Amino acid sequence: MRTGTASGRPRRLTGVGAVAVLTWVLAVVVGSAITWRALAVVDSGERTGVLSQSEVDVALAQARTPATPAPSGTPTAEPTPTPTPTPTPTTDPSPPAPTDVDVARTWTVPGGIVAVSCRDAVITLLYATPSDGWTVEVRSAGPERVDVELHRDRAETKLTGTCVAGTPEPQVDSEDDGSGSGSDDDGSAHD
């Protein structure tokens, strides 16, 4: 019994075979277009919508600063981003004068990342993001202190943040479950 030809001529594609071939061709074309566009974005340096930490800090500072409305009939200009100033350490023992500047800090601790900001003595939790496999519990988001707990199995990290002279300062207590996850358990926070 022979298959493939009835009279020595090759068979024509059936409807199912034609659909399969067209589907494959379409998948190749779409995949190539997506790959080409991704390479063009990377090569041209276009933004993909992901912001750097400094761009996030600038955006947060702008969101907290109230805009002064322009008098009616006056054209308005787009606001230009201004970076949040970072205080420089001094040897002067006197406390700095109160300011209306937000000072933000991000700490990487065992179990996740916590970000806060201080304006004088008022602290505000910006975000608390747990690492994979961890959960987060926010006990206090301000204004006197930030208390965040990160949990995984028998491991626990407690972070308490306060404002000292207008700058966020962490206190971290970490109890490791002994799983050898490679996370710090010395209680230090990393800026």
Side-chain angles (χ1 to χ4, degrees):
M1 178 171 164
R2 297 179 66 188
T3 60
T5 60
S7 61
R9 289 188 279 165
R11 273 193 195 173
R12 292 184 181 211
L13 284 177
T14 63
V16 174
V19 169
V21 169
L22 288 175
T23 303
W24 177 81
V25 169
L26 181 63
V28 169
V29 169
V30 170
S32 297
I34 290 170
T35 302
W36 177 83
R37 179 65 185 144
L39 289 173
V41 167
V42 169
D43 188 43
S44 69
E46 287 182 33
R47 294 305 308 236
T48 60
V50 177
L51 300 178
S52 68
Q53 182 65 43
S54 61
E55 291 170 322
V56 170
D57 292 340
V58 169
L60 286 171
Q62 286 178 342
R64 287 195 190 101
T65 306
T68 307
S72 56
T74 305
T76 58
E78 290 293 319
T80 57
T82 55
T84 304
T86 304
T88 56
T90 63
T91 57
D92 184 10
S94 63
T99 63
D100 285 339
V101 176
D102 286 352
V103 178
R105 292 290 184 265
T106 303
W107 301 307
T108 301
V109 297
I113 299 173
V114 178
V116 300
S117 72
C118 284
R119 180 174 284 199
D120 296 325
V122 176
I123 192 165
T124 303
L125 176 67
L126 299 177
Y127 61 87
T129 305
S131 299
D132 287 342
W134 289 74
T135 59
V136 66
E137 184 176 347
V138 176
R139 299 265 185 199
S140 175
E144 290 137 13
R145 66 187 308 144
V146 167
D147 288 316
V148 175
E149 293 182 8
L150 298 148
H151 303 276
R152 179 191 70 198
D153 299 328
R154 292 175 291 169
E156 178 178 82
T157 300
K158 294 180 183 179
L159 181 135
T160 301
T162 55
C163 293
V164 177
T167 302
E169 293 291 330
Q171 178 182 352
V172 179
D173 294 315
S174 181
E175 297 175 16
D176 193 3
D177 62 356
S179 66
S181 64
S183 63
D184 295 338
D185 61 358
D186 63 357
S188 63
H190 307 288
D191 284 328

